[in-house]
Amino acid sequence: MSEKPKLALYWASSCGGCEIAVLGLHEKILNVAEAFDIVFWPCVMDFKYADVEAMDDDSIDVCLFNGAIRNDENARLAHLLRRKSKVMVAFGSCASGGSMPGLANFTDRDAMFDWIYHKSPTTDNPDGIVPMKHTDVPEGDLELPGFWHTVKTLAQVVPVDYFLPGCPPEASSIEMAVNAILTGQLPPPGSVIGPDVTVCDECPREKHEKKIKRFYRPYEIIPDPDTCLLEQGLFCAGIATRSGCGARCPQVGMGCRGCYGPNEGVVDHGAKILTGIASVLDAQTPEEVDAILDTLPDPAGYFYRFHLPDSLLRRRARANGEKIVAPASEAAGEPA
Amino acid sequence: MSEQEKRVGVYVCHCGHNIAGTVDVEHVAEWSQHLPNVVISRDNKFMCASTGQEQIEEDIKEFGLTHVVVASCSPHMHEKTFRNACARAGMNPYLFEMANIREHASWVHPNDRDGATNKAKALVSAAVHRVIHHEPLEPMQVKIRPETLVVGGGIAGIQAALEIADAGYHVYLVEREPSIGGHMAMFDKTFPTLDCSACILTPKMFDAGAHPNITLLTYSEVEKVDGYVGNFTVRVRKRARMVDEDLCTGCGSCWDKCPIKVVDDVFEAGMGYRKAIYRPFPQAVPKYPVIDVENCTYFKTGKCRMCEKVCPTEAIRFDMEDQYVDLEVGNVILATGYKLFDCRRIPNYGYGRLENVFSSLEFERLTNAAGPTEGKVVLRDGETVPESVAIIHCVGSRDKNYNEHCSAICCMSSLKFAHLVMEKTGAQVYNFYIDMRPISKGYEEFYHRILSEGTTFIRGKVSEITDAAHAPDEEGKLIVVAEDTLIGKQRRVPVDMVILAAGLEPRADSQAVGYMFGVGCGDTGFFTERHPKLDPVATATEGVFIAGACQGAKDIPDSVAQGAAAAARVLGTISRREVALEPVRASIDESRCSGCRICNNMCPYNAIDFIEAEGVSRVNPALCKGCGTCVAACPSQVITGAHFTFDQLMAEIDGILVDVTGEMPLVTEVI
């Protein structure tokens, strides 16, 4: 039996949806299993980090790494797998752009811990216990991975060869990437594997000149089935989001959330959504602009939902304007 | 060419002391030597002088420079100068970049030498980082149609039209009112020569009406403008006159017999009457009347038809409808004039409430021999000759509550009024002024003449005009209350008549007209010229020029001069036959356009079309002005602004963020 290429999959700071998406290949997962020798996939099989550490450098052919980097463990595995892998793929929106975990960059670690462990209405923590990096127990020292101030993308921590966007990536996108890897027909390193047009290109809805008087939440209106959702006042990031998903959301009346990230060449996804939307507001005065934007709750969340950590903003300063000073290891993207 | 092969020359200008007085120019030049790709960096007293330009040319040849940066003044001043220098040495002029270290550094930080020097370094660094991403660009040549549209038939528009027509090219002269002539046709005398306004204007009006190269479109308005320099398409709405111009002889039988008298708010400034079928004044051009359908009995009740009955040539057409005329022209001159300040806006001056307070235009009609009183200066009752008259300067001008600008004509017209009142009535005249500004040729002399004629000049702003008497000699009079700043006392001057020298304002629709033609309006609302000093009749839109009071308050000589200047500019482009358009334009990568149509209604010049069949948007390069609005708006980043590409802008930002505090530029990673 000839040696099969070795495949690793890892799940850092993410929801697990990317893992499901791989399984969502259905019977084609068998082709993957047949084509590759899966050497590391902690979500579905039992591997230990020590197993990976024991491998030779560059011995893994492809690593599909999903999830953002937000603690020392994520970073440790990112560095480890990078060292062991020939091709590193940032798999899914969290690894590519930070995605949902990355929205934590709108706040900071202390404020977040304060909310989660003390203030949130569902918290019952009379002793005020918070997770510590080190905890002394009679059996010895218990260690948790250090929690970072700032969520980073995989590429901000280690060099990444390819990006496969999507929350999660569609089966067709995964298939395309896997085939490209298997046949060696890969774009230049650093590329996003996917088309270089936006969701509008695949969306069958009719587009007209746009003038938006107000935004609606999806429950507020029943949109016309044939007309562009944005024109009808439903927030849709499809104008600024890379296609490849088949425009699935807008086709069923739900505006694009933007999970495939910015189009080719764009550095700041949120800024592009923002300028696109701002360009078509039907307003003559600043007051009218404010009134229209008041109908769009949480604009920062809408615009930067998938790409805050790799935007030009990256994160906000502390609410009191203080600069957040991260430890040197975190600033360097290394585990402590 | 790979990035390493690019060779940049940097030239840092002293601009005499303008820059070198604040910025350490030699240090900036030395420091810049260490920026990436820089092969030569020099400082020079005056880069714009021929020696500076020749230095660039020599260095391009000697050092094989591929890109050039000049750090000096604003690109508005000398970008063209240096681009031309580069071109003379065989370099594409768009491989040049300018860093503005005068307006942006030395002039704004005069007391901070270190700060200004560091800022100059950052600006040079930005320009160097940017320039290596510049690409050669070629201007686009477009043909110029020889026809010209002149909008507005006042003296500026008439002058412009005649100049162009006399040069042998066709002009369409569009006027909103039934006759050309504008405000000048309403005046009696002109300052400072006191010659008869009609006598000098009507020959020009007649020439314009009869000129074989001028098509007059009166009672008409421009509705729509498309196209670009050399190739504008203009739609003009010709309002229905209800009179067949081919048959009418202008004999006057119709308005003689018309039973309806209407107060003439336009030409007579509300001081006289006209008929429902009328021509505004005897010397009107064209001579044909129009029917005012709002007041005509036939149009209100279906009866009368008197004009039709008496017309000897059967020229009355009650069924006439508005017509649309489409014109193709190469250039446009806007000469849409001004609006008089509405004196009612200053309630304490009593205009509209106190009957013997007149506006300047009302007085012009009063004193005009062809006006409602045949030139007799009388009170509102039509017979009483005033024994004392006050003339108030700066009404609605030089006043932050109304208009901050000086209306330029009021001093002189007020002096003219003083002369006419004294000449016609012998009344005592009081001129209330803030400052006297008789600044043009012969004006100061005229002021002295009026001074010697016995007019009383009171320096002070009038606070109130009232009929509430405080003393027996004020009974039945208008009392002008003002501070006399020369003697430092409050004065109350009882007079029979007050004339308010109302200021000049932009037309009420100037914003809309400006938008239609792609011309901006400044803070005051007057049309914005391309350069206030060096290019006063051109605008930001190629092929659209401005002349007369639509550009700013001005008198007749200046309006005539601007009309002629605009005509000269138009004739210049016509004789070139074609014009080179700036290659700084947007273009859409259609293979990557997703057809979202966000950009479609962003373009202020209507240069973007959506191609339905292909599902993509397209920029018409001749219409595009390179403003960049669509480039920023395009959410998929497939619109590129030539000379303002994404790479160029990001490189410029990288460059400006370089650490400039040390002896060497230090590129720091932004976290």
Side-chain angles (χ1 to χ4, degrees):
Chain A
M1 186 177 124
S2 70
E3 192 147 314
K4 293 195 283 187
K6 291 191 169 64
L7 177 69
L9 295 97
Y10 185 67
W11 168 2
S13 184
S14 70
C15 69
C18 287
E19 311 280 343
I20 308 298
V22 177
L23 296 173
L25 290 171
H26 299 301
E27 70 283 357
K28 284 176 188 151
I29 190 76
L30 299 174
N31 300 350
V32 174
E34 198 176 314
F36 290 98
D37 179 12
I38 298 172
V39 295
F40 183 58
W41 192 0
C43 175
V44 295
M45 286 176 266
D46 186 18
F47 295 92
K48 302 297 179 206
Y49 294 163
D51 299 336
V52 184
E53 276 157 9
M55 294 177 194
D56 289 338
D57 286 0
D58 281 340
S59 62
I60 302 171
D61 292 279
V62 181
C63 174
L64 303 181
F65 191 106
N66 76 73
I69 311 299
R70 76 118 57 260
N71 63 31
D72 287 337
E73 184 187 27
N74 300 155
R76 187 180 146 214
L77 264 290
H79 284 278
L80 178 61
L81 286 165
R82 172 70 274 188
R83 204 162 64 239
K84 303 294 174 190
S85 308
K86 290 198 188 90
V87 174
M88 181 65 129
V89 179
F91 187 94
S93 300
C94 294
S96 299
S99 197
M100 305 296 152
L103 287 173
N105 287 358
F106 277 128
T107 175
D108 57 66
R109 183 180 65 185
D110 299 344
M112 199 158 45
F113 276 21
D114 192 38
W115 174 254
I116 292 167
Y117 295 107
H118 301 295
K119 294 203 176 126
S120 94
T122 53
T123 299
D124 181 21
N125 185 10
D127 300 330
I129 295 167
V130 290
M132 306 291 287
K133 200 170 171 195
H134 295 280
T135 311
D136 275 330
V137 290
E139 293 80 3
D141 177 36
L142 287 182
E143 189 183 344
L144 282 175
F147 197 91
W148 286 10
H149 288 277
T150 300
V151 178
K152 297 194 176 190
T153 69
L154 181 60
Q156 286 169 341
V157 173
V158 296
V160 168
D161 297 300
Y162 300 104
F163 297 85
L164 188 62
C167 182
E170 286 299 325
S172 57
S173 299
I174 302 173
E175 224 185 298
M176 189 166 81
V178 168
N179 285 339
I181 291 164
L182 284 175
T183 56
Q185 289 171 336
L186 281 162
S191 300
V192 176
I193 299 175
D196 60 357
V197 290
T198 59
V199 173
C200 296
D201 196 65
E202 293 183 314
C203 177
R205 288 175 178 270
E206 255 177 59
K207 290 124 196 140
H208 310 91
E209 288 195 6
K210 299 177 204 330
K211 282 274 175 208
I212 299 174
K213 242 338 205 217
R214 63 154 294 178
F215 288 99
Y216 295 94
R217 309 295 296 276
Y219 69 85
E220 288 178 295
I221 56 166
I222 295 173
D224 176 88
D226 302 319
T227 306
C228 165
L229 292 172
L230 186 56
E231 279 164 36
Q232 302 182 61
L234 289 168
F235 177 85
C236 180
I239 50 170
T241 301
R242 188 186 290 268
S243 70
C245 57
R248 290 177 152 230
C249 299
Q251 290 206 52
V252 295
M254 182 58 69
C256 166
R257 307 284 102 179
C259 73
Y260 266 58
N263 196 19
E264 191 66 39
V266 174
V267 294
D268 194 311
H269 193 208
K272 270 298 175 200
I273 302 172
L274 171 65
T275 50
I277 297 273
S279 299
V280 293
L281 297 185
D282 188 7
Q284 302 301 323
T285 63
E287 293 75 27
E288 278 177 50
V289 173
D290 285 345
I292 297 173
L293 288 182
D294 281 347
T295 62
L296 184 70
D298 186 21
Y302 267 119
F303 300 147
Y304 284 98
R305 189 187 297 244
F306 294 97
H307 279 265
L308 179 61
D310 78 336
S311 71
L312 292 170
L313 302 175
R314 299 204 180 183
R315 66 156 303 116
R316 65 171 277 183
R318 280 228 167 96
N320 60 10
E322 234 177 86
K323 205 174 167 193
I324 290 170
V325 183
S329 58
E330 181 188 324
E334 309 270 356
Chain B
M1 193 188 302
S2 77
E3 207 143 283
Q4 293 77 27
E5 289 170 284
K6 293 177 176 168
R7 300 170 67 80
V8 180
V10 176
Y11 301 87
V12 187
C13 181
H14 292 240
C15 195
H17 288 293
N18 278 307
I19 296 171
T22 307
V23 171
D24 184 348
V25 174
E26 287 93 348
H27 172 65
V28 175
E30 265 167 47
W31 181 88
S32 301
Q33 187 80 53
H34 304 289
L35 286 165
N37 298 80
V38 172
V39 293
I40 179 78
S41 176
R42 303 178 187 273
D43 61 286
N44 188 303
K45 277 262 180 285
F46 286 104
M47 278 309 297
C48 59
S50 56
T51 47
Q53 295 186 51
E54 281 156 18
Q55 181 80 68
I56 297 176
E57 291 172 55
E58 284 164 21
D59 286 356
I60 289 174
K61 287 170 188 152
E62 192 183 335
F63 296 99
L65 301 182
T66 59
H67 299 74
V68 168
V69 169
V70 174
S72 55
C73 52
S74 161
H76 274 297
M77 288 294 298
H78 279 305
E79 188 172 57
K80 243 185 192 156
T81 310
F82 300 124
R83 277 184 180 172
N84 289 342
C86 293
R88 283 197 297 277
M91 179 191 286
N92 184 289
Y94 291 90
L95 300 175
F96 161 80
E97 175 67 2
M98 203 152 174
N100 183 355
I101 60 167
R102 191 179 72 175
E103 283 85 340
H104 289 177
S106 66
W107 279 2
V108 284
H109 308 292
N111 303 318
D112 181 4
R113 188 172 176 80
D114 288 346
T117 301
N118 283 340
K119 192 170 177 186
K121 284 150 82 177
L123 290 167
V124 172
S125 167
V128 169
H129 277 77
R130 181 192 214 278
V131 80
I132 58 168
H133 294 276
H134 281 202
E135 286 154 16
L137 299 173
E138 295 298 334
M140 190 172 82
Q141 301 289 333
V142 293
K143 292 244 179 299
I144 300 284
R145 291 192 68 96
E147 298 86 354
T148 303
L149 170 73
V150 176
V151 186
I155 185 59
I158 291 172
Q159 184 70 30
L162 284 173
E163 298 274 358
I164 296 167
D166 283 346
Y169 299 105
H170 201 88
V171 177
Y172 298 97
L173 178 55
V174 176
E175 166 60 47
R176 183 181 282 171
E177 297 299 328
S179 169
I180 58 170
H183 281 101
M184 190 177 168
M186 302 174 191
F187 304 155
D188 181 40
K189 295 281 197 287
T190 59
F191 55 76
T193 48
L194 294 177
D195 44 4
C196 156
S197 188
C199 309
I200 56 174
L201 174 66
T202 49
K204 279 187 180 289
M205 288 168 60
F206 180 80
D207 285 353
H211 206 295
N213 281 337
I214 296 180
T215 302
L216 267 194
L217 294 159
T218 53
Y219 213 41
S220 301
E221 284 186 66
V222 176
E223 294 253 305
K224 191 164 176 266
V225 182
D226 283 318
Y228 48 90
V229 57
N231 301 275
F232 292 106
T233 312
V234 182
R235 168 156 285 202
V236 177
R237 183 164 73 101
K238 253 188 115 190
R239 289 166 65 198
R241 278 188 121 86
M242 308 298 167
V243 174
D244 187 332
E245 294 176 24
D246 293 333
L247 297 175
C248 176
T249 61
C251 71
S253 308
C254 53
W255 64 78
D256 278 350
K257 297 288 185 222
C258 174
I260 300 298
K261 254 180 151 183
V262 184
V263 173
D264 184 352
D265 281 328
V266 179
F267 191 78
E268 294 291 4
M271 297 289 287
Y273 296 94
R274 60 165 170 78
K275 295 295 184 65
I277 182 165
Y278 71 104
R279 98 183 156 190
F281 53 104
Q283 306 94 325
V285 174
K287 62 193 172 188
Y288 322 113
V290 298
I291 294 181
D292 165 11
V293 297
E294 273 176 30
N295 290 298
C296 170
T297 312
Y298 172 74
F299 281 97
K300 287 208 283 200
T301 66
K303 297 206 180 90
C304 184
R305 308 178 81 115
M306 181 57 85
C307 48
E308 192 182 36
K309 280 174 212 146
V310 299
C311 178
T313 57
E314 298 182 351
I316 306 295
R317 294 275 178 276
F318 289 118
D319 58 352
M320 199 180 249
E321 286 182 354
D322 291 359
Q323 286 179 331
Y324 290 92
V325 187
D326 289 324
L327 309 174
E328 308 255 306
V329 297
N331 290 281
V332 177
I333 296 174
L334 296 179
T336 50
Y338 67 90
K339 171 169 80 79
L340 202 70
F341 175 77
D342 180 1
C343 299
R344 285 178 185 80
R345 287 170 60 194
I346 311 183
N348 38 325
Y349 284 1
Y351 179 75
R353 175 166 52 84
L354 303 171
E355 64 172 1
N356 287 317
V357 178
F358 292 80
S359 77
S360 44
L361 205 55
E362 283 181 322
F363 182 77
E364 289 283 1
R365 294 312 299 157
L366 204 58
T367 188
N368 193 310
T373 61
E374 292 172 340
K376 284 200 279 292
V377 174
V378 289
L379 299 185
R380 199 76 74 169
D381 63 11
E383 42 190 88
T384 314
V385 177
E387 290 173 6
S388 51
V389 176
I391 301 170
I392 319 297
H393 295 221
C394 297
V395 175
S397 309
R398 304 184 66 204
D399 182 336
K400 286 192 175 173
N401 296 310
Y402 306 101
N403 292 300
E404 215 173 324
H405 67 261
C406 167
S407 290
I409 60 137
C410 326
C411 280
M412 288 304 290
S413 61
S414 298
L415 293 174
K416 177 183 80 177
F417 293 162
H419 171 82
L420 293 173
V421 169
M422 290 180 80
E423 183 183 66
K424 292 189 171 182
T425 66
Q428 177 62 44
V429 179
Y430 302 91
N431 272 45
F432 290 85
Y433 68 100
I434 312 176
D435 296 295
M436 283 306 300
R437 296 180 159 181
I439 49 161
S440 287
K441 188 176 178 184
Y443 289 9
E444 183 73 17
E445 294 88 325
F446 187 70
Y447 172 38
H448 283 273
R449 174 178 168 186
I450 305 305
L451 276 171
S452 68
E453 283 176 359
T455 294
T456 304
F457 284 86
I458 298 165
R459 186 177 184 278
K461 196 168 163 64
V462 172
S463 59
E464 188 186 14
I465 296 160
T466 175
D467 55 357
H470 283 187
D473 66 332
E474 293 181 352
E475 292 291 347
K477 300 269 187 183
L478 293 168
I479 303 101
V480 181
V481 185
E483 187 196 356
D484 185 334
T485 59
L486 296 182
I487 58 170
K489 280 214 163 81
Q490 192 78 8
R491 287 180 65 161
R492 293 173 62 87
V493 180
V495 293
D496 297 325
M497 180 190 226
V498 174
I499 305 166
L500 303 177
L504 272 46
E505 288 185 332
R507 289 273 182 198
D509 59 356
S510 65
Q511 293 273 359
V513 172
Y515 186 75
M516 184 156 60
F517 288 95
V519 178
C521 294
D523 296 344
T524 54
F526 291 111
F527 291 145
T528 308
E529 58 287 318
R530 189 178 291 167
H531 191 284
K533 296 182 217 36
L534 303 177
D535 214 351
V537 296
T539 67
T541 297
E542 292 270 357
V544 178
F545 300 90
I546 48 178
C550 65
Q551 182 257 355
K554 60 177 60 63
D555 59 14
I556 293 166
D558 285 356
S559 297
V560 171
Q562 278 206 337
R569 294 295 300 274
V570 167
L571 289 169
T573 62
I574 294 174
S575 63
R576 282 208 304 275
R577 291 197 177 79
E578 53 181 31
V579 65
L581 295 185
E582 265 280 327
V584 177
R585 286 189 294 267
S587 57
I588 299 179
D589 178 352
E590 289 176 24
S591 70
R592 293 188 55 210
C593 173
S594 304
C596 69
R597 306 194 62 177
I598 291 283
C599 61
N600 283 190
N601 47 17
M602 294 307 297
C603 180
Y605 308 99
N606 296 320
I608 301 179
D609 291 316
F610 183 67
I611 314 299
E612 201 82 45
E614 297 164 48
V616 297
S617 296
R618 187 172 293 162
V619 175
N620 179 339
L623 284 177
C624 175
K625 299 277 177 297
C627 71
T629 308
C630 62
V631 180
C634 177
S636 49
Q637 200 165 300
V638 298
I639 309 185
T640 302
H643 215 55
F644 290 89
T645 65
F646 183 74
D647 288 349
Q648 289 163 3
L649 298 183
M650 291 310 279
E652 193 169 2
I653 294 170
D654 284 345
I656 211 156
L657 293 176
V658 158
D659 183 352
V660 297
T661 51
E663 285 300 306
M664 301 270 277
L666 182 65
V667 183
T668 46
E669 185 67 28
V670 185
I671 300 171

